[in-house]
């Protein structure tokens, strides 16, 4: 499952966690003067205070209208159920109406909706227990107990058959175990079904009958096992989720599996689903990858779930996502596939857990996931008014995110009242989320929300301490320690300064059971700073800094991790060892300024800079580039049959980029055409168009589907090996990852090695052509690289064998052999090479391959060039190398040409108009996201701002600056550049307030650019046009701090010396915080010119040119 900030404890330590929580409860109740029941009442009271019934009614009303529309448009099964649920409970309506609820439930049951079956059964259960609804409907008073049990058993079985309803399974199991008549009813139903199946006349319900038989068999088989005298203890609801995780053991007979398989072969989606679900509970692997049986692989869990989803089962897509997620692959392809599956799951069912899981994918910037806070908020609001799938115990991991978005002002303004409402709204539901409780408590503690007192936050912290989530409990203990230490609550209820140490100790002990995360490290760092616990680790002055630094590294994780990473970064900068005294003084001054201007804290400023960057980035920037490029490629094909245009169009159709939807057939045609024209890298794309039913691949996204993983892997490996032979390193590493993660690929690689060794021996005897023999040698070298994992664990014997194969192929002038010898020289230590291999450089090997027009070698030479290596080639040859690479669609080559058209490198003719069209073409062809590793986001923004002549250059510049702020917690320069763009009014409707906050956040980051931030703040505070912020004393203070920072920079580094000297010259010339000194100004302008060293640093070149211009004016 996805790792959010809740539920982060180690799975293998669950028994330890349970014992730890039991210890905590005992300890806490010994010092609290309250009972558990009283605590629950207080929590319910607090939730009611902050719950906004009017707002929820509006949300339910909107949801009601949307579900009615779905019913009218598509007779949507889940919509019927939700409308029935709303009528039953009066949600968003004037009053509840059981008659209407039953009507809609019955319509949903006709379409086999498992939740409707269960809720209908619960209506009968409540009637039986005396909770009647004014005798409006069920009229169970006319039924005897046996009739009532018969109805409930059938409804509960329906709930399990149609969707493996967790609570229905649990209730049926308990009742059948404890009440003989329930079990006898189950046996009667089984007899009826068996009789119906045995009838000679065929029935359209036969597949359903087999499903019922399978489910009933599961219950009877389970009870037969449990009746051995080892009865299970009753599990209270509070411990239900954790206990189920521990005891998730499959108890399904082979007869039940056979029934589900029979139903599936008759075309029933429930058969596929039930078979897969029961297999997922078992200890067997999710995919039987080593099975040689096509029939067995067809009934693999993921393949069966795919079949159920395609046939329309409302839980098919969601369950498939859960199964694939358990494999924990984290790649672009797997992540984008999971998000696409969740989108389909939301359309198919619309259950709250599906919607929350989907929303989470838009909140975590994982490779392959689209990042969209607004869309996440919409899904979370829908989830709040929807019901869970009940496929497994209620999962509360993502419950707090909706309140969190309002709390932190993401995709909306900061609204702490509404945040408290949404926290309270999810706490009203069963299985309360402990982290939500802590966040609401902290909101009350810090903001003193209307109608709440500090004692309310204490009660929520206390309740969170007692839950089964160690991270939330640790955070709650930490907050209670802070409250106790500050003496804010009376000692009569167990909160005085002497108890603070105990709470700190409890928090640290709980954190031992938590997986690494930003909040965990942040809490530890704070405890090490504040607590007075006698511990060597705590007395170590480096411990807090280490914790804060570790926490800050989670900045590029999910939204909640990011916030605590920012707080940790600020803490780290405050206590960083060997900090210069003037920096400490600067930060103290800035803290006072921030408090004076906005009554805020540093963390609020840092978080504001993140929100500002979110606001100024362009969500559709790359989509527009893809759309433009698509039109250009189409136009290119009308002019000539261009191999790169075919390859790029194949890729665009393959992945659905820009305005295109995924079209595997069109993609395949373009790939084949590209290969026929000489674009060998298209083999890789063809390999990934082969799908596998067993692995849950959607047939609509693949050209050819194979039922088993083994078959799919064989065909993929053939294409990928051909691609690797042509020099596609991506294919080599793809095979390497698959062989490392999947047993079937590891076995296939071994088989391929044996086949090629055999073919080589026979080929020599039959005197095969030289080209075929050398190809076999190179392929053997590639496969051995994969099998021996030489890039992860290099060993001399394996490397010598690989080099031996490549050397023999190289003697026969195979360019692929030269290429891979060069690649090995790049990646491995020179100690592994002997003789001539030791003397020849990687560049020389690539040059040998390039002479044979081996395109991959040319692309590697371009990469060496961009990495700063000097090639033994003339500029004319380098230009031709770049042209060849660009024609091939290589983003490195196209990017280098674009930069040459800006700064004239390699004697490329400068042309700013062509430069930016070439740069954007490189972005469109950058399928592996390599450009940002060469050009940081802020550099691209800088190029747009100062070198482009397009009308929307400032919009594009602000987008790249914003991306840099969003992706790098240590970024100071991006904040300054974005702030400068705003300050100079280059962004319409932008406020100078945003610029001030960006500059202030840059100062808190505290790197070599901090002087510029001080300088810009001095300029704003000394500008009378900014009357709201005009303050000469404040301006002078910032100018003084800027001056000290620039002087320090010049002493320790020459990296930004041109910029620092130029700004110092301006300060002397204008008299910023000092007397005007023209002589020193001229001196620093001249230094700016003298210190400029490289033609490729366009930013420093601008300062140099500006200095030249000023000196000419002064002379």
């Amino acid at each position: 499952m996805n790792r959010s900030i809740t539920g982060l404890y180690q799975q293998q330590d669950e028994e330890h966690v349970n014992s730890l929580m039991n210890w905590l409860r005992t300890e806490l109740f010994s010092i609290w003067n309250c009972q558990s029941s009283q605590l629950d009442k207080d929590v319910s009271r607090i939730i009611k205070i902050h719950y906004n019934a009017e707002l929820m009614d509006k949300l339910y009303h909107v949801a009601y209208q949307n579900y009615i529309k779905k019913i009218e448009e598509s007779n949507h099964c889940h919509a019927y159920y939700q409308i029935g649920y709303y009528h039953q409970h009066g949600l968003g309506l004037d009053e509840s109406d059981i008659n209407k609820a039953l009507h809609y439930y019955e319509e949903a049951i006709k379409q086999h909706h498992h939740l409707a079956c269960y809720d209908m059964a619960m209506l009968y259960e409540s009637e039986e227990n005396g909770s009647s609804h004014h005798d409006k409907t069920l009229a169970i008073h006319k039924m005897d107990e046996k009739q009532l049990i018969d109805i409930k058993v059938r409804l509960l079985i329906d709930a399990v058959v149609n969707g493996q309803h967790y609570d229905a399974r649990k209730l049926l199991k308990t009742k059948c175990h404890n009440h003989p008549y329930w079990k006898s009813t189950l046996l009667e139903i089984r007899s009826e079904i068996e009789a119906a199946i045995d009838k000679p006349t065929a029935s359209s319900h036969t597949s359903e009958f087999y499903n019922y038989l399978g489910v009933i068999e599961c219950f009877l088989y389970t009870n037969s096992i449990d009746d051995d005298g080892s009865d299970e203890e009753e599990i209270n609801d509070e411990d239900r989720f954790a206990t189920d995780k521990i005891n998730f053991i499959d108890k399904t007979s082979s007869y039940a599996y056979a029934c589900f398989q029979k139903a599936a072969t008759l075309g029933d989606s429930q058969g596929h689903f039930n078979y897969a679900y029961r297999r997922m509970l078992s200890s067997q692997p999710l995919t039987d990858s080593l099975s040689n049986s096509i029939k067995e692989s067809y009934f693999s869990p993921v393949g069966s779930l795919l079949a159920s989803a395609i046939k329309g089962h409302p839980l098919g897509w969601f369950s498939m996502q859960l199964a694939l997620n358990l494999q924990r692959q984290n790649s672009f392809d797997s992540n984008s596939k999971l998000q696409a599956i969740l989108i389909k799951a939301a359309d198919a069912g619309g259950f709250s857990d599906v919607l929350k899981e989907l929303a989470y994918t838009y909140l975590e910037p994982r490779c392959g996931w689209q990042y969209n806070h607004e869309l996440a908020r919409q899904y979370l609001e829908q989830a709040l008014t929807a019901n869970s799938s009940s496929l497994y115990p209620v999962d509360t991991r993502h419950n707090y995110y909706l309140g969190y978005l309002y709390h932190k002002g993401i995709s909306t303004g900061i609204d702490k009242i509404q945040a408290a409402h949404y926290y309270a709204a999810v706490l009203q539901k069963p299985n309360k989320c402990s982290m939500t409780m802590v966040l609401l408590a902290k909101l009350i503690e810090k903001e003193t929300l209307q109608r709440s007192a500090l004692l309310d936050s204490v009660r929520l912290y206390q309740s969170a301490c007692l839950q089964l989530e160690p991270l939330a409990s640790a955070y709650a203990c930490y907050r209670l320690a802070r409250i106790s230490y500050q003496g804010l609550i009376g000692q009569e209820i167990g909160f005085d300064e002497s108890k603070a140490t105990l709470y700190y100790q409890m928090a640290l002990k709980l954190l031992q059971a938590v997986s690494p995360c930003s909040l965990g490290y942040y809490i530890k760092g704070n405890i090490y700073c504040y607590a007075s616990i006698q511990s060597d680790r705590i007395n170590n002055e480096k411990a807090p800094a280490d914790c804060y630094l570790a926490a800050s590294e989670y900045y590029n994780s999910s939204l909640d991790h990011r916030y605590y990473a920012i707080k940790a970064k600020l803490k780290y900068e405050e206590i960083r060892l060997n900090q210069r005294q003037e920096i400490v003084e600067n930060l103290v001054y800035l803290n006072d300024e921030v408090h004076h201007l906005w009554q805020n804290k540093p963390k609020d400023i840092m978080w504001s800079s993140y929100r500002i960057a979110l606001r100024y980035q362009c969500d559709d920037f790359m989509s527009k580039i893809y759309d433009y490029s698509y039109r250009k490629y189409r136009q290119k094909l009308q002019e000539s049959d261009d191999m790169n245009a075919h390859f790029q169009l194949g890729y665009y159709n393959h992945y659905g980029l820009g305005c295109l939807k995924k079209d595997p057939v069109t993609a395949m045609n373009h790939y084949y055409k590209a290969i026929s024209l000489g674009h060998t890298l298209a083999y890789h794309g063809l390999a990934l168009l082969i799908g596998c039913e067993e692995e849950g691949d959607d047939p609509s996204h693949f050209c050819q589907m194979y039922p088993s993983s083994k078959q799919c892997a064989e065909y993929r490996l053939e294409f990928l090996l051909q691609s690797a032979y042509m020099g596609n390193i991506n294919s080599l590493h793809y095979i390497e990852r698959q062989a490392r993660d999947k047993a079937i690929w590891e076995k296939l690689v071994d088989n391929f090695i044996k086949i090629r060794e055999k073919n080589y021996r026979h080929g020599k005897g039959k005197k095969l052509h030289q080209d075929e023999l050398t190809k076999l040698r190179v392929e053997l070298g590639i496969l051995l690289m994969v099998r021996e994992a030489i890039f992860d664990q290099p060993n001399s014997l394996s490397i010598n064998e690989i080099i031996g194969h490549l050397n023999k192929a190289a003697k026969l002038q195979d360019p692929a052999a030269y290429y891979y010898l060069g690649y090995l020289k790049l990646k491995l230590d020179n100690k592994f090479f002997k003789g001539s291999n030791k003397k020849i450089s990687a560049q020389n090997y690539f040059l040998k391959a390039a002479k044979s027009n081996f395109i991959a070698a040319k692309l590697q030479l371009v990469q060496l060039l961009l990495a700063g290596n000097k090639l033994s080639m003339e500029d004319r040859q380098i230009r031709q190398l770049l042209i060849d690479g660009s024609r091939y669609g290589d983003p490195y080559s196209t990017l280098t040409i674009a930069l040459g058209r800006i700064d004239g490198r390699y004697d490329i003719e400068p042309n700013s108009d062509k430069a930016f069209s070439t740069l954007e073409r490189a972005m469109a062809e950058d399928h592996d996201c390599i450009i940002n590793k060469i050009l940081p986001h802020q550099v691209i923004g800088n190029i747009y701002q100062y070198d482009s002549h397009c009308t929307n250059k400032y919009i594009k510049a602000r987008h790249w600056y914003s991306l840099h702020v969003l992706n790098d917690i240590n970024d100071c320069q991006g904040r300054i550049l974005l702030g400068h763009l705003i300050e100079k009014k280059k962004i319409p409707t932008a406020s100078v307030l945003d610029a001030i906050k960006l500059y202030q956040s840059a100062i808190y980051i505290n790197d070599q650019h901090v002087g510029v931030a001080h300088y810009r703040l001095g300029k704003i505070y000394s500008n009378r046009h900014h009357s709201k912020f005009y303050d000469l004393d404040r301006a002078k203070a910032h100018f003084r701090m800027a001056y000290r920072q620039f002087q320090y920079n010049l002493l320790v580094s020459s990296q930004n010396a041109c910029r620092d000297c130029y700004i110092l010259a301006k300060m002397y010339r204008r008299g910023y915080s000092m007397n005007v000194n023209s002589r020193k100004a001229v001196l620093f302008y001249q230094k700016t010119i003298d210190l400029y060293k490289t033609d490729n640093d366009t930013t420093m070149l601008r300062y140099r040119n500006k200095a030249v211009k000023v000196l000419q004016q002064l002379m």
Side-chain angles (χ1 to χ4, degrees), residues 524-535:
K524 278 186 184 179
N526 282 353
I527 292 175
Y528 293 157
C529 276
Y530 302 139
S532 56
I533 308 173
Q534 296 305 309
S535 164

Side-chain angles (χ1 to χ4, degrees), residues 41 177 207 307 479 635 640-641 652 686 722 777 803 827 958 1102:
K41 289 178 183 177
H177 189 74
S207 60
R479 294 310 314 167
Q635 182 181 342
S640 63
D641 227 5
Y652 278 36
L686 283 174
Q722 178 63 25
R777 282 285 190 188
I803 292 174
K827 297 298 179 183
R958 86 176 189 201
R1102 277 192 292 275

Side-chain angles (χ1 to χ4, degrees), residues 740-836:
R740 183 182 62 231
D741 298 337
K742 296 178 181 179
I744 185 64
W745 279 78
E746 185 181 12
K747 188 175 180 181
L748 273 176
V749 168
D750 279 338
N751 288 340
F752 271 49
I753 289 173
K754 291 174 184 176
I755 291 168
R756 274 150 182 77
E757 286 174 341
K758 181 180 178 182
N759 289 346
Y760 184 79
R761 289 194 301 270
H762 291 177
K764 286 183 73 175
K766 294 179 180 179
K767 297 185 178 180
L768 275 181
H769 192 272
Q770 173 178 304
D771 290 346
E772 294 179 67
L773 290 173
T774 57
K775 184 181 179 184
L776 286 171
R777 282 285 190 188
V778 175
E779 287 182 345
L780 274 170
I782 293 168
L783 290 166
L784 286 168
M785 289 181 210
V786 171
R787 190 181 72 180
E788 303 301 327
I790 62 167
F791 301 115
D792 295 327
Q793 300 171 332
N795 66 84
S796 298
L797 287 175
S798 301
I799 294 171
N800 287 339
E801 185 180 359
I802 293 165
I803 292 174
H805 285 298
L806 296 176
N807 278 337
K808 287 178 181 178
K811 286 179 181 178
L812 298 173
Q813 307 300 312
D814 189 309
Y818 287 129
Y819 172 78
Y820 274 106
L821 284 168
Y823 187 74
L824 290 174
K825 289 284 284 189
L826 273 183
K827 297 298 179 183
L828 300 176
D829 193 290
N830 204 41
K831 68 181 182 182
F832 292 109
F833 298 89
K834 299 175 182 177
S836 61

Side-chain angles (χ1 to χ4, degrees), residues 23-35 458-459 462 465-466 477 480-481 484 490-496 498-504 506:
W23 163 82
L24 183 67
R25 287 174 183 153
T26 305
E27 289 290 315
L28 291 176
F29 278 119
S30 69
I31 59 174
W32 291 346
N33 295 324
C34 69
Q35 299 296 320
V458 170
R459 291 303 187 210
Q462 287 176 308
C465 283
L466 304 177
C477 284
L480 289 174
S484 300
Q491 69 180 54
E492 65 275 4
I493 60 170
F495 296 94
D496 56 67
S498 65
K499 297 293 191 301
T501 298
L502 178 61
Y503 288 124
Y504 282 138
M506 289 178 175

Side-chain angles (χ1 to χ4, degrees), residues 120-131:
M120 180 79 92
M122 290 303 96
L123 279 174
Y124 282 101
E125 183 80 2
S126 61
E127 288 280 345
E128 183 185 19
N129 294 333
S131 176

Side-chain angles (χ1 to χ4, degrees), residues 152-338:
K152 287 192 288 185
V153 170
R154 291 176 187 274
L155 283 169
L156 290 171
I157 290 177
D158 280 344
V160 179
V161 168
N162 296 325
Q164 290 291 336
H165 195 293
Y166 173 81
D167 291 312
R169 283 188 286 123
K170 183 181 176 184
L171 182 59
L172 262 176
K173 179 182 175 182
T174 304
K175 293 285 189 180
C176 290
H177 189 74
N178 297 326
H179 300 283
Y181 191 72
W182 278 70
K183 186 170 182 178
S184 65
T185 304
L186 206 59
L187 290 168
E188 287 175 12
I189 295 171
R190 183 177 71 172
S191 297
E192 291 174 14
I193 294 170
E194 287 173 341
I197 291 175
D198 290 339
K199 286 181 180 179
T201 55
S203 169
S204 59
H205 300 291
T206 303
S207 60
E208 294 179 30
F209 292 156
Y210 279 111
N211 262 320
Y212 279 95
L213 277 181
V215 166
I216 293 170
E217 172 65 17
C218 289
F219 285 109
L220 296 176
Y221 180 70
T222 300
N223 275 301
S224 69
I225 293 175
D226 293 341
D227 283 340
D228 61 359
S230 56
D231 293 348
E232 294 182 8
E233 297 179 9
E234 275 298 316
I235 301 167
N236 61 44
D237 288 338
E238 188 176 328
D239 296 334
R240 180 179 69 175
F241 187 33
T243 307
D244 273 293
K245 278 184 174 178
I246 297 167
N247 298 317
F248 232 34
I249 300 171
D250 180 35
K251 294 178 180 177
T252 307
S253 73
S254 58
Y255 176 68
Y257 280 130
C259 288
F260 293 141
Q261 287 185 352
K262 183 67 174 177
T265 53
L266 291 171
D268 187 73
S269 65
Q270 275 92 349
H272 283 291
F273 178 80
N274 290 326
Y275 173 82
Y277 185 81
R278 301 304 302 189
R279 278 286 304 275
M280 283 171 64
L281 298 187
S282 75
S283 56
Q284 300 174 40
L286 289 181
T287 54
D288 189 7
S289 299
L290 297 177
S291 170
N292 291 317
S293 168
I294 301 301
K295 182 179 179 182
E296 285 181 24
S297 62
Y298 177 70
F299 283 110
S300 70
V302 179
S304 293
L305 288 172
L306 175 63
S308 74
I310 292 171
K311 291 176 183 293
H313 196 288
L315 288 170
W317 291 116
F318 182 45
S319 301
M320 191 169 81
Q321 183 267 342
L322 295 175
L324 291 172
N325 218 356
L326 288 171
Q327 298 173 12
R328 300 193 183 280
Q329 295 181 11
N330 185 17
S331 65
F332 179 90
D333 288 339
S334 62
N335 289 336
S336 56
K337 180 168 144 183
L338 288 176

